[in-house]
Amino acid sequence: MSAEAAGLDAEVAEWVGYTLDAGPGNIVCERGYILHWAESVEDANPLWWDETVAEQLTSGWIAPPSMLSVWMRPLMFRPDVPDGDEPIRPLEVHFRLKDALDLPEGVVTYNEIEFHEPVRPGDLISTRQTVSQISAPRTNRLGTGRYWRIDVTYTNQRGEVAGIETYNMFGYRRGPASQGSATNSDTRGQSGAPNHSSSQEVNAGGAAGPSLPELAVDVTARTVVMGASASRDWQPQHHDHAWAMAKQGTDIFLNTPNQAGWIERYVTDWTGPGGRLGKMRFRMKASIQPGHRMVFDGAVTGRHTDDIGCSWTDLRVTISVEDRIMTEAAVRVALPTDAEDNPWARSGDRWQPAAAGDLED
C-alpha cells in the first residue's frame, strides 16, 4: 500500500522507501555457529554433520539456509565501541522507525524468506534494509500502533545475493487491557531421529504421498533460550523469564528465526539432504512457550517443474499446540528429478525460486 493510499501524514510517509545500507556485519560464518544452530533445532541432516555428504552435494560446508538472519545480528559487545554509545542493532531500520514513530514495542507478524546462494564458512554478509510499507494507525489486543514491512537483501563479499527476507511487523504502544504477546518479536525435545532412508526414496523417485510425518517436540526453557542463542537474538522476551512476566505477563517464547529453523528441519527430515529450500513464508498466530508440546504437520500442495528444469514441491506446514495452530507456513523446496540431479548445484540464472510464482498459504 502506498503512503497516500494508507492516509499517512507527511512525517510518516517520508519513511516509505527509506533504505539503510547497513554494510557488512561483524559475524563471519563458521562451523561453530552452524553446529550450534543444528543442535538448537535437533537437526540430524548429514549436510551439516558429514563432510563427505557436504562435498558431494554442496562442494563443501554450507550454513542451513534458515540461518540467513544470523549474519545480520551484530556483536553485543565490542571494545572499539565507547561506553555509552549505542551499537548498531539487528534490523536497525526497524528500531529507527520505532523511535521515529514513538512506538516502543514491536512484534513480527509474518516472515518471508527467499533463499539464493548458500552461505559458507568465511563469508561475511552485508544487508540493505528498506521500509516498503507503513499502515495507518491500528488497534488490536496488543495496543495501538502501525504495521510496516521491511525488505532485507543479504549479499556476500563476492557480490552474490544470499537471500531476500521480508519482515511484516507491528510497532505499538500497549493499551490498558493489553495482555501477553500474540506473536514473536523481535530437557531436549522428544523428536526422534529423521528417517533419511525414506527421504532418499522421495529424492530419487519424486513419488511422495500427500502428507509429511508428524513431528512432536516438547518445548522447555532450554529450547527457547538455545534458539535465541543460536540465532543471536538477545531480545529479553526470548531468554529472561522475570522480564517477560513483568513486562508482558507471559513466559519467554520462541523467536522468529528459530521457528524458521524448526520448519526447515521438519521439511528436510522428509526430503533428506538433497532437498533445497527455495522459499518460505510463515505467519505466527500465537506464542510457543516452555511447557508446550509443539506438533508439526505438513502436506504437499503442489508440484511443478520450471522453465529451467528445476523441480519444485510446495508444502503447507503447521505448528500446533493442543490442536491450536500457532504458526502456519508455506514452503517451496527443490527436489532432485532423478538420481543424477542435484538442486544444490544450481546457481545464478539456473536457480530461480521466485520465478515459480507465489506460494499459496
Side-chain angles (χ1 to χ4, degrees):
M1 181 181 294
S2 68
E4 293 77 13
L8 305 181
D9 58 59
E11 182 181 359
V12 176
E14 68 181 13
W15 277 92
V16 178
Y18 174 81
T19 296
L20 173 67
D21 282 312
N26 47 39
I27 301 297
V28 176
C29 176
E30 51 98 354
R31 283 276 293 150
Y33 281 119
I34 294 170
L35 295 181
H36 187 27
W37 182 271
E39 71 169 338
S40 77
V41 295
E42 304 171 24
D43 190 347
N45 188 337
L47 194 53
W48 326 134
W49 301 94
D50 188 323
E51 190 169 13
T52 299
V53 173
E55 283 292 338
Q56 289 174 345
L57 290 178
T58 56
S59 301
W61 297 119
I62 64 167
S66 59
M67 284 189 76
L68 190 61
S69 68
V70 171
W71 319 117
M72 170 177 65
R73 293 190 171 85
L75 293 168
M76 295 296 292
F77 166 80
R78 289 179 55 180
D80 57 341
V81 177
D83 289 345
D85 282 15
E86 183 71 30
I88 194 163
R89 296 161 291 192
L91 200 59
E92 174 67 23
V93 73
H94 166 67
F95 290 96
R96 292 188 186 183
L97 188 55
K98 284 173 59 184
D99 293 343
L101 301 182
D102 194 24
L103 297 172
E105 310 285 346
V107 295
V108 179
T109 58
Y110 75 90
N111 187 240
E112 181 173 305
I113 318 170
E114 191 178 287
F115 304 104
H116 288 270
E117 289 300 314
V119 178
R120 299 177 180 274
D123 281 353
L124 185 64
I125 303 299
S126 297
T127 62
R128 179 180 174 89
Q129 308 168 16
T130 299
V131 180
S132 57
Q133 292 181 6
I134 304 177
S135 79
R138 299 283 188 270
T139 298
N140 60 27
R141 73 187 187 93
L142 290 177
T144 298
R146 298 176 187 269
Y147 292 93
W148 55 72
R149 190 175 84 179
I150 297 172
D151 301 315
V152 183
T153 300
Y154 297 83
T155 307
N156 63 28
Q157 71 276 15
R158 295 177 294 277
E160 301 164 332
V161 173
I164 301 169
E165 184 167 25
T166 296
Y167 290 89
N168 288 268
M169 326 285 284
F170 181 59
Y172 65 100
R173 185 172 291 278
R174 290 181 184 272
S178 300
Q179 291 186 0
S181 175
T183 51
N184 285 340
S185 84
D186 324 322
T187 319
R188 295 174 59 86
Q190 303 303 307
S191 54
N195 184 350
H196 283 299
S197 60
S198 61
S199 298
Q200 292 300 326
E201 294 176 7
V202 174
N203 289 346
S211 298
L212 280 64
E214 180 183 285
L215 169 68
V217 180
D218 291 323
V219 178
T220 66
R222 185 174 71 177
T223 312
V224 176
V225 175
M226 187 178 290
S229 172
S231 55
R232 300 192 46 76
D233 182 355
W234 294 114
Q235 295 297 309
Q237 59 266 43
H238 304 308
H239 71 273
D240 189 331
H241 171 79
W243 184 96
M245 294 301 297
K247 185 74 171 180
Q248 59 195 28
T250 63
D251 204 351
I252 59 176
F253 55 92
L254 287 182
N255 71 353
T256 301
N258 187 232
Q259 289 205 38
W262 278 106
I263 293 168
E264 177 182 29
R265 174 261 165 102
Y266 176 63
V267 170
T268 57
D269 275 2
W270 176 67
T271 68
R276 180 182 178 183
L277 288 186
K279 197 171 185 178
M280 173 192 299
R281 179 170 63 240
F282 57 103
R283 185 182 302 274
M284 294 159 289
K285 303 161 72 72
S287 300
I288 299 172
Q289 299 174 311
H292 284 168
R293 183 175 177 84
M294 57 179 178
V295 177
F296 293 77
D297 283 293
V300 174
T301 58
R303 293 189 178 92
H304 59 277
T305 300
D306 63 23
D307 292 341
I308 50 179
C310 188
S311 178
W312 298 100
T313 295
D314 287 352
L315 307 168
R316 180 178 184 268
V317 175
T318 60
I319 309 175
S320 300
V321 174
E322 295 182 347
D323 297 324
R324 178 187 181 188
I325 293 178
M326 312 297 273
T327 297
E328 52 189 2
V331 182
R332 174 165 296 146
V333 60
L335 296 176
T337 56
D338 54 43
E340 302 301 318
D341 186 32
N342 176 16
W344 290 105
R346 294 180 174 272
S347 63
D349 292 341
R350 297 183 62 249
W351 176 252
Q352 299 291 335
D358 290 336
L359 283 168
E360 296 293 334
D361 286 322

